């Protein structure tokens, strides 16, 4: 980005709450491909129906508010947000406007130079989702109303983000928090987490905000980053060419990797907000709030610090391990069986994560119990098997789900630790390669690695590498000085 300019970014993030039923009726919230199955007169807005607020949805927004340092308003109100679009059967959306459940919180991300940066939150409010239009051939469109009435929270940030990368970090943190709380699965592909971005530019050092545009249809974290980069560059080019920015809503086209104008940007008065007459004010008592606070899990930032302080692992490891609650839980399960915290981290971040990525599965679908990984680590540290053999054992475990000790016994993989047996093996290797022995005698000590490789190959990886190195050096040095 041109250093003459500074980007000013605010995000509106919609998170679909993981309740079993919709926010104002008893229809299922399960994701289903068959259209218009999870619907009823209430979520379709038929005449004479009355909404009934889902208590679990309220508990979930309170959890989120408490987790991100918000003020939880004792009284909040629902409003009708009127707009006319084919995927909104009622012609209005039940949302919150003047007094939402949560206000004035913050989320901490890593900014420049890896320093903590607070991103202020304006509000978090409850609302219902609209339906979904499916565009077909011959200019036809079809309405799938399954999503109508799905409970959402909308998390609105202050314009505190200054780069697409910060926006990416912020979104990752929101996903992490809602998953830790268990209130949203964070699946952007199924629409569980959606984002609209407001962006403007101004001269570096200025305080006055520029004219903003809003980008919609951002269905992945990387698309948010790409769309913001594209729009910031577009605005800079316009201003540099002497044009002004028009306040408008843009639609991101992932195929073309560009945004197109959708409509002029709405203001609050365009929605004709007015109090929802069929719902009473929402009252949240201090007792209820405290009850929910006491049930909050350990949050990712706290867990991150604990992993560093208690387990003495690097910050990088702690960041990876706490990025997902299931991964963090699996790590803690491993170290309940071994005290080698760093090795447990390495196995999870490298071997296990590699397998998960290759097979496109989650840690919840991983077949090897944490206890078995803990045993495997201890077997290496006890000298029962080598690190190389451990990888072979791991591969066997993936195929037949047996315990590591069963595999070690079945395939005779116990590490060779007897110095006399290793010495005999080394003698035969040295005799087989006299030219390389001569190279060592003339000062080419790098040839030591050649001999180590041959010994390990001959022993099928079972020889203790440390002993192999020690005995080899001693024998070669004796030859060298003889």
């Amino acid at each position: 980005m041109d250093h003459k300019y500074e980007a000013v970014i605010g995000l509106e993030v919609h998170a679909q709450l993981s309740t079993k039923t919709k926010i104002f009726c008893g229809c299922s919230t399960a994701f289903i491909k068959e259209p218009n199955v999870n619907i009823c007169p209430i979520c379709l807005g038929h005449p004479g129906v009355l909404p009934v607020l889902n208590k679990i949805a309220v508990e979930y927004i309170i959890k989120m508010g408490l987790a991100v340092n918000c003020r939880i308003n004792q009284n909040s109100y629902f409003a009708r947000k009127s707009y006319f679009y084919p995927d909104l059967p009622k012609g209005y959306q039940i949302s919150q406007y003047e007094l939402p459940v949560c206000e004035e919180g913050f989320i901490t991300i890593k900014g420049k130079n890896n320093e903590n940066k607070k991103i202020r939150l304006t509000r978090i409010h409850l609302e219902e989702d609209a339906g979904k239009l499916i565009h077909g051939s011959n200019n036809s469109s079809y309405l799938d109303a399954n999503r109508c009435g799905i409970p959402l929270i909308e998390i609105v940030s202050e314009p505190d983000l200054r780069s697409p990368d910060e926006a990416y970090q912020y979104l990752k943190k929101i996903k992490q928090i809602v998953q830790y709380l268990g209130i949203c699965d964070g699946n952007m592909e199924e629409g569980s987490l959606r984002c609209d971005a407001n962006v403007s530019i101004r001269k570096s050092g200025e305080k006055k905000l520029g004219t903003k545009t809003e980008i919609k249809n951002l269905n992945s974290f990387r698309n948010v980053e790409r769309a913001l980069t594209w729009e910031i560059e577009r605005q800079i080019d316009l201003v540099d060419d002497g044009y002004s920015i028009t306040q408008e809503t843009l639609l991101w086209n992932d195929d073309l990797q560009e945004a197109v104008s959708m409509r002029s940007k709405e203001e609050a008065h365009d929605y004709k907000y007015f109090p929802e007459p069929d719902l009473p004010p929402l009252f949240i008592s201090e007792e209820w709030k405290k009850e929910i606070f006491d049930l909050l899990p350990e949050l990712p930032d706290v867990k991150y610090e604990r992993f560093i302080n208690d387990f003495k692992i690097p910050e990088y490891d702690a960041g990876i391990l706490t990025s997902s609650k299931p991964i963090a839980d699996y790590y803690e399960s491993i170290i309940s069986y071994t005290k080698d915290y760093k090795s447990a981290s390495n196995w999870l971040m490298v071997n296990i994560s590699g397998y998960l990525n290759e097979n496109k599965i989650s840690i919840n679908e991983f077949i090897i119990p944490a206890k078995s990984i803990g045993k495997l680590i201890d077997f290496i540290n006890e000298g029962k098997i080598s690190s190389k053999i451990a990888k072979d054992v791991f591969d066997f475990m993936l195929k037949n789900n047996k315990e590591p000790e069963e595999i070690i016994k079945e395939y005779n993989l116990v590490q060779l630790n007897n110095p006399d047996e290793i010495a005999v093996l080394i003698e035969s290797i040295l005799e087989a390669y006299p030219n390389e022995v001569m190279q060592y005698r003339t000062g080419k000590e790098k040839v030591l690695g050649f001999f180590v490789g041959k010994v390990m190959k001959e022993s099928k990886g079972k020889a203790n590498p440390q002993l192999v190195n020690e005995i080899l050096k001693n024998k070669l040095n004796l030859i060298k000085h003889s």
Side-chain angles (χ1 to χ4, degrees), residues 220-281:
S220 75
F221 292 167
R222 287 303 177 195
N223 273 354
V224 173
E225 199 170 24
R226 293 186 190 110
L228 285 170
T229 300
W230 184 90
E231 176 58 10
I232 290 165
E233 290 174 356
R234 184 188 77 90
Q235 291 189 19
I236 289 173
D237 288 343
L238 282 172
V239 172
D240 279 346
D241 290 341
Y243 296 99
S244 58
I245 307 298
T246 301
Q247 183 167 321
E248 59 184 333
T249 297
L250 305 169
L251 195 64
W252 178 249
N253 187 315
D254 192 29
D255 293 329
L256 298 176
Q257 289 292 295
E258 65 180 32
V260 294
S261 182
M262 184 181 176
R263 58 176 180 260
S264 61
K265 181 78 173 77
E266 300 94 338
E267 300 290 353
H269 61 262
D270 294 323
Y271 293 118
K272 299 179 177 65
Y273 281 101
F274 72 91
E276 168 55 59
D278 293 332
L279 288 168

Side-chain angles (χ1 to χ4, degrees), residues 32 174 218 256 389 406 413:
I32 186 169
I174 285 183
L218 302 173
L256 298 176
I389 291 293
E406 293 179 72
L413 299 174

Side-chain angles (χ1 to χ4, degrees), residues 415-425 462-464 467-468 471:
Q415 182 165 263
L416 178 59
N417 289 314
N418 187 316
D420 294 334
E421 290 183 47
I422 293 174
V424 170
L425 194 56
K462 293 195 290 182
N464 184 317
L467 277 176
V468 170
I471 297 169

Side-chain angles (χ1 to χ4, degrees), residues 29-44:
T29 58
F31 180 76
I32 186 169
K33 290 186 177 180
E34 186 179 354
N36 301 314
V37 173
N38 296 333
I39 56 174
C40 74
I42 294 175
C43 50
L44 292 179

